[in-house]
Amino acid sequence: MSNDFIHRFEPGNRLEAPPLLLLHGTGGDENDLLPLGKTISPGSALLSPRGKVLEHGMPRFFRRLAEGVFDEDDVQRRADELADFVESARARYGIAAPVALGYSNGANIAAAMLLLRPDVLAGAILLRAMVPLSQPPQADLRDKPVLIVSGKLDPIIPATNSAQLAALLTKAGANVQHPVLPTGHQLSQADLTIGQEWIKAVRFLQADKAAAV
């Protein structure tokens, strides 16, 4: 497979459950988000790559210059590389365009993919995400479902930044929901509950559209 990543793939067993692209945070790996993916969307096929960039030995999906300061050239290159991997993996494993489920650094690379390669993802759940590019391209995200879940007490991501990301994706046409939880950068049970409800709602809308056609 071109542009291959160390990864895990687990086939799905429910046709109505969308495939998930699991994207870990700094220091995680291809195993980290498998339990989260299974909890949020039982029966989904799971594609979980490991980030190729190492920061003090910890895997990430792109380089940063400081906390909250991204190497934007690397963001763009790595987002393209990951998008190519997803397209190859779809052909290899026979899955539909996935919904990205990313946490922190993984959520940021998913947001970059939405802006740079919007056709690769069917939607996204972005947990503790930031604006990945200071001058993003104009993307066509018409009606693409996106869930951004932020923490009001997050010491890493200013509330204005996550709100800017929601506005940016909405302006590009995405159907964005952006709940803000009374928590920090860490995940909580509320993240799981919100993610589960969102996935169920998106499935329902998709089934509705298919029935209408």
Side-chain angles (χ1 to χ4, degrees), residues 130-154:
M130 298 178 66
V131 175
L133 298 166
S134 58
Q135 294 183 317
Q138 287 191 341
D140 182 2
L141 300 176
R142 195 174 318 154
D143 298 327
K144 202 175 290 285
V146 177
L147 173 67
I148 303 171
V149 187
S150 302
K152 185 176 182 181
L153 307 177
D154 194 327

Side-chain angles (χ1 to χ4, degrees), residues 27-51:
D29 63 22
E30 66 277 14
N31 301 302
D32 269 26
L33 295 190
L34 291 174
L36 182 66
K38 291 174 182 177
T39 300
I40 286 181
S41 186
S44 282
L46 303 176
L47 178 63
S48 185
R50 181 193 302 180

Side-chain angles (χ1 to χ4, degrees), residues 158-183:
T160 52
N161 191 291
S162 53
Q164 182 184 351
L165 176 61
L168 174 65
L169 298 179
T170 299
K171 184 178 179 182
N175 180 7
V176 178
Q177 295 182 35
H178 182 207
V180 180
L181 303 177
T183 187

